[in-house]
Amino acid sequence: MNQITVYTTTTCPYCHMVKHFLKKQGLPFQEVNVQQNPAAGQRLVETTGQMGVPQTNVNGQWVIGYDPDRIMGFVQS
């Protein structure tokens, strides 16, 4: 079972693209909106050193931005 968490904001178009891509692939994921949860946003910056979204954690590996090929590279079939 894949563990996928997408860190998003409400207004980010690439966040919507990542979520749409994962749904299309039939991959369940958890979403953390860092606008609604600033503490999670702070932890994200401390963990990855990146402030932008989307950031997707796929089975412990980070994918910054909208990068479907990289996401699928970390998905276990």
Coordinates of all heavy atoms in Angstrom, one line a residue:
M1 N 0.8 -1.2 0.0 CA 0.0 0.0 0.0 C 0.9 1.2 0.0 O 1.8 1.4 0.8 CB -0.9 0.0 1.2 CG -1.8 1.2 1.4 SD -3.0 1.2 0.0 CE -4.5 1.5 0.9
N2 N 0.7 2.1 -0.9 CA 1.4 3.4 -1.0 C 1.0 4.4 0.0 O -0.2 4.5 0.2 CB 1.3 4.0 -2.4 CG 2.0 3.1 -3.5 OD1 3.2 3.0 -3.5 ND2 1.2 2.5 -4.4
Q3 N 1.9 5.1 0.6 CA 1.7 6.2 1.5 C 2.0 7.4 0.7 O 3.1 7.7 0.4 CB 2.6 6.1 2.7 CG 2.3 4.8 3.6 CD 1.0 4.9 4.3 OE1 0.6 6.0 4.8 NE2 0.3 3.8 4.4
I4 N 0.9 8.2 0.4 CA 1.1 9.4 -0.4 C 0.4 10.6 0.3 O -0.8 10.5 0.7 CB 0.5 9.3 -1.8 CG1 1.1 8.1 -2.5 CG2 0.7 10.6 -2.6 CD1 0.5 7.8 -3.9
T5 N 1.2 11.6 0.6 CA 0.7 12.8 1.2 C 1.0 14.0 0.3 O 2.2 14.2 -0.1 CB 1.3 13.1 2.6 OG1 1.0 11.9 3.4 CG2 0.6 14.3 3.3
V6 N 0.0 14.8 -0.1 CA 0.2 16.0 -0.9 C 0.0 17.2 0.0 O -1.1 17.4 0.6 CB -0.8 16.0 -2.1 CG1 -0.5 17.2 -3.0 CG2 -0.8 14.7 -2.9
Y7 N 1.0 18.1 0.0 CA 0.9 19.4 0.7 C 0.5 20.4 -0.3 O 1.2 20.6 -1.3 CB 2.3 19.7 1.4 CG 2.6 18.7 2.5 CD1 3.1 17.5 2.2 CD2 2.2 19.0 3.8 CE1 3.4 16.6 3.2 CE2 2.5 18.1 4.8 CZ 3.1 16.9 4.5 OH 3.3 16.0 5.5
T8 N -0.6 21.2 0.0 CA -1.2 22.1 -0.9 C -1.5 23.4 -0.3 O -1.5 23.6 0.9 CB -2.5 21.5 -1.5 OG1 -3.4 21.4 -0.4 CG2 -2.3 20.1 -2.1
T9 N -2.0 24.3 -1.2 CA -2.7 25.5 -0.7 C -4.0 25.5 -1.6 O -4.1 24.9 -2.6 CB -1.9 26.8 -0.9 OG1 -1.7 27.0 -2.3 CG2 -0.6 26.8 -0.2
T10 N -4.9 26.3 -1.1 CA -6.2 26.4 -1.8 C -6.1 27.0 -3.2 O -6.8 26.5 -4.1 CB -7.2 27.3 -1.0 OG1 -7.1 26.8 0.4 CG2 -8.6 27.2 -1.4
T11 N -5.2 27.9 -3.4 CA -5.1 28.6 -4.7 C -4.1 28.1 -5.7 O -4.0 28.7 -6.8 CB -4.8 30.1 -4.4 OG1 -3.6 30.2 -3.6 CG2 -6.0 30.8 -3.6
C12 N -3.4 27.1 -5.4 CA -2.3 26.6 -6.2 C -2.8 25.7 -7.3 O -3.3 24.6 -7.1 CB -1.3 25.9 -5.3 SG -0.2 24.7 -6.1
P13 N -2.6 26.2 -8.6 CA -3.1 25.4 -9.7 C -2.4 24.0 -9.9 O -2.9 23.0 -10.2 CB -2.9 26.2 -10.9 CG -1.9 27.3 -10.5 CD -2.0 27.4 -9.0
Y14 N -1.1 24.0 -9.5 CA -0.3 22.8 -9.7 C -0.7 21.8 -8.6 O -0.6 20.6 -8.8 CB 1.2 23.1 -9.6 CG 1.7 23.8 -10.8 CD1 2.0 25.2 -10.7 CD2 1.8 23.2 -12.0 CE1 2.4 25.9 -11.9 CE2 2.2 23.9 -13.2 CZ 2.5 25.2 -13.1 OH 2.9 25.9 -14.2
C15 N -1.2 22.2 -7.5 CA -1.7 21.3 -6.4 C -2.9 20.6 -7.0 O -3.0 19.4 -6.8 CB -2.1 22.1 -5.2 SG -0.7 23.0 -4.4
H16 N -3.8 21.3 -7.6 CA -5.0 20.7 -8.2 C -4.6 19.7 -9.3 O -5.2 18.6 -9.4 CB -5.9 21.7 -8.8 CG -6.5 22.6 -7.8 ND1 -7.5 22.2 -6.9 CD2 -6.3 23.9 -7.5 CE1 -7.8 23.2 -6.1 NE2 -7.1 24.3 -6.5
M17 N -3.5 20.0 -10.0 CA -3.1 19.1 -11.1 C -2.5 17.8 -10.5 O -2.8 16.7 -11.0 CB -2.0 19.7 -11.9 CG -2.5 20.8 -12.8 SD -1.3 21.9 -13.6 CE -0.4 20.7 -14.6
V18 N -1.8 17.9 -9.4 CA -1.2 16.7 -8.7 C -2.4 15.8 -8.2 O -2.4 14.6 -8.4 CB -0.2 17.1 -7.6 CG1 0.0 15.9 -6.7 CG2 1.0 17.6 -8.1
K19 N -3.3 16.5 -7.5 CA -4.5 15.7 -6.9 C -5.3 15.0 -8.1 O -5.6 13.9 -7.9 CB -5.4 16.6 -6.1 CG -4.7 17.1 -4.8 CD -5.6 17.9 -4.0 CE -6.0 19.2 -4.6 NZ -6.9 20.0 -3.7
H20 N -5.5 15.7 -9.1 CA -6.2 15.2 -10.3 C -5.5 14.0 -10.9 O -6.0 12.9 -11.2 CB -6.5 16.3 -11.3 CG -7.2 15.7 -12.6 ND1 -8.5 15.4 -12.6 CD2 -6.7 15.5 -13.8 CE1 -8.8 15.0 -13.8 NE2 -7.8 15.0 -14.5
F21 N -4.1 14.1 -11.0 CA -3.3 13.1 -11.6 C -3.4 11.8 -10.7 O -3.6 10.7 -11.2 CB -1.8 13.5 -11.7 CG -0.9 12.4 -12.0 CD1 -0.8 12.0 -13.3 CD2 -0.1 11.8 -11.1 CE1 0.0 11.0 -13.7 CE2 0.8 10.8 -11.4 CZ 0.8 10.4 -12.7
L22 N -3.3 12.0 -9.4 CA -3.3 10.9 -8.4 C -4.7 10.2 -8.5 O -4.7 8.9 -8.5 CB -3.0 11.3 -7.0 CG -1.5 11.7 -6.8 CD1 -1.4 12.4 -5.4 CD2 -0.6 10.6 -6.9
K23 N -5.7 11.0 -8.6 CA -7.1 10.4 -8.7 C -7.2 9.6 -9.9 O -7.8 8.5 -10.0 CB -8.2 11.5 -8.6 CG -8.3 12.0 -7.2 CD -9.3 13.2 -7.2 CE -9.3 13.9 -5.8 NZ -9.9 15.2 -5.8
K24 N -6.7 10.1 -11.0 CA -6.8 9.5 -12.3 C -6.0 8.1 -12.3 O -6.4 7.2 -13.0 CB -6.2 10.4 -13.4 CG -6.9 10.3 -14.8 CD -6.5 11.4 -15.7 CE -5.6 10.9 -16.7 NZ -5.0 11.9 -17.6
Q25 N -4.9 8.1 -11.6 CA -4.1 6.9 -11.5 C -4.8 5.9 -10.5 O -4.3 4.8 -10.3 CB -2.7 7.2 -11.0 CG -2.0 8.1 -11.9 CD -1.8 7.6 -13.3 OE1 -1.5 6.4 -13.5 NE2 -2.0 8.4 -14.3
G26 N -5.8 6.3 -9.8 CA -6.4 5.5 -8.8 C -5.6 5.3 -7.5 O -5.7 4.3 -6.8
L27 N -4.8 6.3 -7.2 CA -3.9 6.3 -6.1 C -4.5 7.1 -4.9 O -4.6 8.3 -5.0 CB -2.5 6.8 -6.4 CG -1.7 6.0 -7.4 CD1 -0.5 6.8 -7.9 CD2 -1.2 4.7 -6.8
P28 N -4.8 6.4 -3.8 CA -5.4 7.2 -2.7 C -4.2 8.0 -2.0 O -3.1 7.6 -2.0 CB -5.8 6.1 -1.7 CG -5.2 4.9 -2.1 CD -4.8 5.0 -3.6
F29 N -4.6 9.2 -1.6 CA -3.6 10.1 -0.9 C -4.3 10.9 0.2 O -5.5 11.0 0.2 CB -3.0 11.0 -2.0 CG -4.0 12.0 -2.7 CD1 -4.2 13.2 -2.2 CD2 -4.7 11.6 -3.8 CE1 -5.2 14.1 -2.8 CE2 -5.6 12.4 -4.4 CZ -5.9 13.7 -3.9
Q30 N -3.4 11.5 1.0 CA -3.9 12.3 2.0 C -3.5 13.8 1.6 O -2.4 13.9 1.0 CB -3.1 12.0 3.3 CG -3.9 12.2 4.6 CD -3.0 11.8 5.8 OE1 -1.9 11.3 5.7 NE2 -3.6 11.9 6.9
E31 N -4.3 14.7 1.9 CA -4.0 16.1 1.5 C -3.8 16.9 2.8 O -4.6 16.8 3.7 CB -5.1 16.7 0.7 CG -4.8 18.2 0.4 CD -5.9 18.8 -0.5 OE1 -6.9 18.2 -0.8 OE2 -5.8 20.0 -0.8
V32 N -2.8 17.7 2.9 CA -2.5 18.6 4.0 C -2.5 20.0 3.4 O -1.6 20.3 2.6 CB -1.2 18.3 4.7 CG1 -1.0 19.3 5.8 CG2 -1.3 16.9 5.3
N33 N -3.5 20.8 3.7 CA -3.5 22.2 3.2 C -2.8 23.1 4.2 O -3.2 23.3 5.3 CB -5.0 22.7 3.1 CG -5.1 24.0 2.4 OD1 -4.4 25.0 2.8 ND2 -6.0 24.2 1.5
V34 N -1.6 23.6 3.7 CA -0.7 24.4 4.6 C -1.3 25.8 4.9 O -0.8 26.4 5.8 CB 0.7 24.4 4.1 CG1 1.3 23.0 4.1 CG2 0.8 25.1 2.8
Q35 N -2.2 26.2 4.1 CA -2.9 27.5 4.4 C -3.8 27.3 5.7 O -3.9 28.2 6.5 CB -3.8 28.0 3.3 CG -3.0 28.8 2.2 CD -3.9 29.1 1.1 OE1 -4.7 28.3 0.6 NE2 -3.9 30.4 0.7
Q36 N -4.5 26.2 5.7 CA -5.4 25.9 6.9 C -4.6 25.3 8.0 O -5.1 25.3 9.2 CB -6.5 24.9 6.4 CG -7.3 25.5 5.3 CD -8.2 24.5 4.6 OE1 -8.1 23.3 4.9 NE2 -9.1 24.9 3.8
N37 N -3.4 24.8 7.8 CA -2.6 24.2 8.9 C -1.2 24.7 8.8 O -0.3 24.1 8.3 CB -2.6 22.7 8.7 CG -2.0 21.9 9.8 OD1 -1.2 22.5 10.6 ND2 -2.2 20.6 9.9
P38 N -1.0 26.0 9.3 CA 0.4 26.6 9.2 C 1.4 25.8 9.9 O 2.6 25.8 9.5 CB 0.2 28.0 9.9 CG -1.3 28.2 9.9 CD -2.0 26.8 9.9
A39 N 1.1 25.1 11.0 CA 2.1 24.3 11.7 C 2.7 23.2 10.8 O 3.9 22.9 10.8 CB 1.5 23.6 12.9
A40 N 1.8 22.6 10.0 CA 2.2 21.6 9.0 C 3.1 22.2 7.9 O 4.1 21.6 7.5 CB 1.0 20.9 8.4
G41 N 2.8 23.4 7.6 CA 3.6 24.2 6.6 C 5.0 24.4 7.1 O 6.0 24.3 6.4
Q42 N 5.1 24.8 8.4 CA 6.4 25.0 9.0 C 7.2 23.8 9.1 O 8.4 23.8 8.8 CB 6.1 25.6 10.4 CG 7.4 26.0 11.1 CD 8.2 27.1 10.4 OE1 7.6 28.0 9.8 NE2 9.5 26.9 10.3
R43 N 6.6 22.7 9.4 CA 7.3 21.4 9.5 C 7.8 21.0 8.1 O 8.9 20.4 7.9 CB 6.4 20.3 10.0 CG 6.2 20.3 11.5 CD 5.6 19.0 12.1 NE 4.3 18.7 11.5 CZ 3.1 19.1 11.8 NH1 3.0 20.0 12.8 NH2 2.0 18.7 11.2
L44 N 6.9 21.3 7.1 CA 7.3 21.0 5.7 C 8.6 21.7 5.3 O 9.5 21.1 4.8 CB 6.2 21.4 4.8 CG 6.3 21.0 3.3 CD1 6.3 19.4 3.2 CD2 5.1 21.5 2.5
V45 N 8.6 23.0 5.6 CA 9.8 23.8 5.3 C 11.1 23.3 6.0 O 12.1 23.2 5.5 CB 9.6 25.3 5.6 CG1 10.9 26.1 5.5 CG2 8.5 25.9 4.7
E46 N 10.9 22.9 7.3 CA 12.0 22.3 8.1 C 12.4 21.0 7.5 O 13.6 20.7 7.6 CB 11.5 22.2 9.5 CG 11.4 23.5 10.3 CD 10.7 23.4 11.6 OE1 10.4 22.2 12.0 OE2 10.4 24.4 12.2
T47 N 11.5 20.2 7.0 CA 11.9 18.9 6.4 C 12.5 19.0 5.1 O 13.5 18.3 4.8 CB 10.6 18.0 6.3 OG1 10.0 18.0 7.6 CG2 10.9 16.6 5.9
T48 N 11.9 19.8 4.2 CA 12.4 19.7 2.8 C 13.2 21.0 2.4 O 13.9 21.0 1.4 CB 11.2 19.7 1.8 OG1 10.5 20.9 1.9 CG2 10.3 18.5 2.1
G49 N 13.2 22.0 3.2 CA 13.9 23.2 2.9 C 13.2 24.0 1.8 O 13.7 25.0 1.3
Q50 N 12.0 23.6 1.4 CA 11.2 24.2 0.3 C 10.0 24.9 0.8 O 9.3 24.3 1.7 CB 10.8 23.2 -0.8 CG 12.0 22.5 -1.4 CD 12.8 23.4 -2.4 OE1 12.2 24.2 -3.1 NE2 14.1 23.2 -2.4
M51 N 9.7 26.1 0.4 CA 8.4 26.7 0.8 C 7.3 26.5 -0.1 O 6.1 26.7 0.2 CB 8.7 28.2 1.0 CG 9.6 28.5 2.1 SD 9.6 30.2 2.7 CE 7.9 30.5 3.0
G52 N 7.6 26.2 -1.4 CA 6.5 26.2 -2.4 C 5.7 24.9 -2.3 O 6.1 23.9 -1.7
V53 N 4.5 24.9 -2.9 CA 3.7 23.7 -3.0 C 3.4 23.6 -4.5 O 3.5 24.5 -5.3 CB 2.4 23.9 -2.2 CG1 2.7 23.8 -0.7 CG2 1.6 25.2 -2.5
P54 N 2.9 22.4 -5.0 CA 2.8 21.2 -4.2 C 4.1 20.5 -3.8 O 5.0 20.6 -4.6 CB 1.9 20.3 -5.1 CG 2.3 20.7 -6.5 CD 2.6 22.2 -6.4
Q55 N 4.1 19.9 -2.7 CA 5.1 18.9 -2.3 C 4.4 17.6 -2.0 O 3.5 17.6 -1.2 CB 5.9 19.4 -1.1 CG 6.7 20.7 -1.4 CD 7.7 21.1 -0.3 OE1 8.4 20.2 0.2 NE2 7.7 22.3 0.0
T56 N 4.9 16.6 -2.6 CA 4.2 15.3 -2.4 C 5.2 14.3 -1.8 O 6.3 14.1 -2.3 CB 3.7 14.7 -3.8 OG1 3.0 15.8 -4.4 CG2 2.9 13.5 -3.6
N57 N 4.8 13.6 -0.7 CA 5.6 12.6 -0.1 C 5.1 11.2 -0.6 O 3.9 10.9 -0.3 CB 5.6 12.7 1.4 CG 6.6 11.8 2.0 OD1 6.6 10.6 1.8 ND2 7.6 12.3 2.7
V58 N 5.9 10.5 -1.3 CA 5.5 9.2 -1.9 C 6.4 8.1 -1.2 O 7.6 8.1 -1.6 CB 5.6 9.1 -3.4 CG1 5.1 7.8 -3.9 CG2 4.9 10.3 -4.1
N59 N 5.8 7.4 -0.3 CA 6.6 6.3 0.4 C 7.9 6.8 0.9 O 8.9 6.2 0.8 CB 6.8 5.1 -0.6 CG 5.4 4.5 -1.0 OD1 4.5 4.4 -0.2 ND2 5.3 4.3 -2.3
G60 N 7.9 8.0 1.5 CA 9.1 8.6 2.2 C 10.0 9.4 1.2 O 11.0 9.9 1.7
Q61 N 9.6 9.5 -0.1 CA 10.4 10.2 -1.0 C 9.7 11.5 -1.4 O 8.5 11.5 -1.6 CB 10.7 9.4 -2.3 CG 11.4 8.1 -2.0 CD 12.8 8.3 -1.6 OE1 13.5 9.1 -2.1 NE2 13.3 7.4 -0.7
W62 N 10.4 12.6 -1.5 CA 9.8 13.9 -1.7 C 9.8 14.2 -3.2 O 10.8 14.0 -3.9 CB 10.5 15.0 -1.0 CG 10.2 15.0 0.5 CD1 10.9 14.4 1.5 CD2 9.0 15.4 1.1 NE1 10.3 14.5 2.7 CE2 9.1 15.1 2.5 CE3 7.8 16.1 0.6 CZ2 8.1 15.5 3.4 CZ3 6.8 16.4 1.5 CH2 7.0 16.1 2.9
V63 N 8.7 14.7 -3.7 CA 8.6 15.2 -5.1 C 8.1 16.7 -4.9 O 7.1 16.9 -4.4 CB 7.6 14.4 -5.9 CG1 7.4 15.0 -7.3 CG2 7.9 12.9 -6.0
I64 N 8.9 17.6 -5.5 CA 8.6 19.0 -5.4 C 8.0 19.4 -6.7 O 8.5 19.1 -7.8 CB 9.9 19.8 -5.2 CG1 10.7 19.3 -4.0 CG2 9.6 21.3 -4.9 CD1 10.1 19.3 -2.6
G65 N 6.8 20.1 -6.6 CA 6.1 20.6 -7.8 C 5.3 19.5 -8.5 O 5.1 18.4 -7.9
Y66 N 4.8 19.8 -9.7 CA 4.0 18.8 -10.4 C 5.0 18.0 -11.3 O 5.5 18.5 -12.3 CB 3.0 19.6 -11.3 CG 2.1 18.7 -12.1 CD1 1.3 17.8 -11.6 CD2 2.3 18.7 -13.5 CE1 0.5 16.9 -12.3 CE2 1.5 17.9 -14.3 CZ 0.6 17.0 -13.7 OH -0.1 16.1 -14.5
D67 N 5.2 16.8 -11.0 CA 6.2 15.9 -11.7 C 5.6 14.5 -11.7 O 6.1 13.6 -10.9 CB 7.5 16.0 -11.0 CG 8.6 15.4 -11.8 OD1 8.3 14.5 -12.7 OD2 9.8 15.7 -11.6
P68 N 4.6 14.2 -12.6 CA 4.0 12.9 -12.6 C 5.0 11.7 -12.8 O 4.8 10.7 -12.1 CB 3.0 13.0 -13.8 CG 2.8 14.4 -14.1 CD 4.1 15.1 -13.6
D69 N 6.0 11.9 -13.6 CA 6.9 10.8 -13.8 C 7.7 10.4 -12.6 O 7.9 9.3 -12.2 CB 7.9 11.1 -15.0 CG 7.3 11.3 -16.3 OD1 6.2 10.7 -16.5 OD2 7.8 11.9 -17.2
R70 N 8.1 11.5 -11.8 CA 8.8 11.3 -10.6 C 7.9 10.6 -9.5 O 8.3 9.7 -8.8 CB 9.4 12.6 -10.1 CG 10.4 12.5 -9.0 CD 11.2 13.8 -8.9 NE 11.8 13.9 -7.6 CZ 12.9 13.3 -7.1 NH1 13.5 12.4 -7.9 NH2 13.3 13.4 -5.9
I71 N 6.7 11.1 -9.5 CA 5.7 10.5 -8.5 C 5.6 9.0 -8.8 O 5.7 8.2 -7.9 CB 4.3 11.2 -8.6 CG1 4.4 12.6 -8.0 CG2 3.3 10.4 -7.9 CD1 3.2 13.5 -8.2
M72 N 5.4 8.7 -10.1 CA 5.1 7.3 -10.4 C 6.4 6.5 -10.2 O 6.3 5.3 -10.0 CB 4.7 7.2 -11.9 CG 3.3 7.7 -12.1 SD 2.0 7.1 -10.9 CE 1.9 5.4 -11.5
G73 N 7.6 7.1 -10.3 CA 8.8 6.4 -10.0 C 8.9 5.9 -8.6 O 9.7 4.9 -8.3
F74 N 8.2 6.5 -7.6 CA 8.3 6.2 -6.2 C 7.1 5.3 -5.8 O 7.0 4.8 -4.7 CB 8.3 7.4 -5.3 CG 9.6 8.2 -5.5 CD1 9.6 9.5 -5.7 CD2 10.8 7.6 -5.4 CE1 10.7 10.3 -5.9 CE2 12.0 8.3 -5.6 CZ 12.0 9.6 -5.8
V75 N 6.1 5.2 -6.7 CA 4.9 4.4 -6.4 C 5.2 2.9 -6.5 O 5.9 2.5 -7.5 CB 3.7 4.7 -7.4 CG1 2.6 3.7 -7.3 CG2 3.2 6.1 -7.0
Q76 N 4.8 2.1 -5.5 CA 5.0 0.7 -5.6 C 3.8 0.0 -6.2 O 2.7 0.3 -5.8 CB 5.2 0.1 -4.2 CG 6.4 0.7 -3.5 CD 6.4 0.5 -2.0 OE1 5.5 0.1 -1.4 NE2 7.6 0.8 -1.4
S77 N 4.0 -0.8 -7.2 CA 2.9 -1.4 -7.9 C 2.5 -2.7 -7.2 O 3.2 -3.3 -6.5 CB 3.2 -1.7 -9.4 OG 4.5 -2.3 -9.5

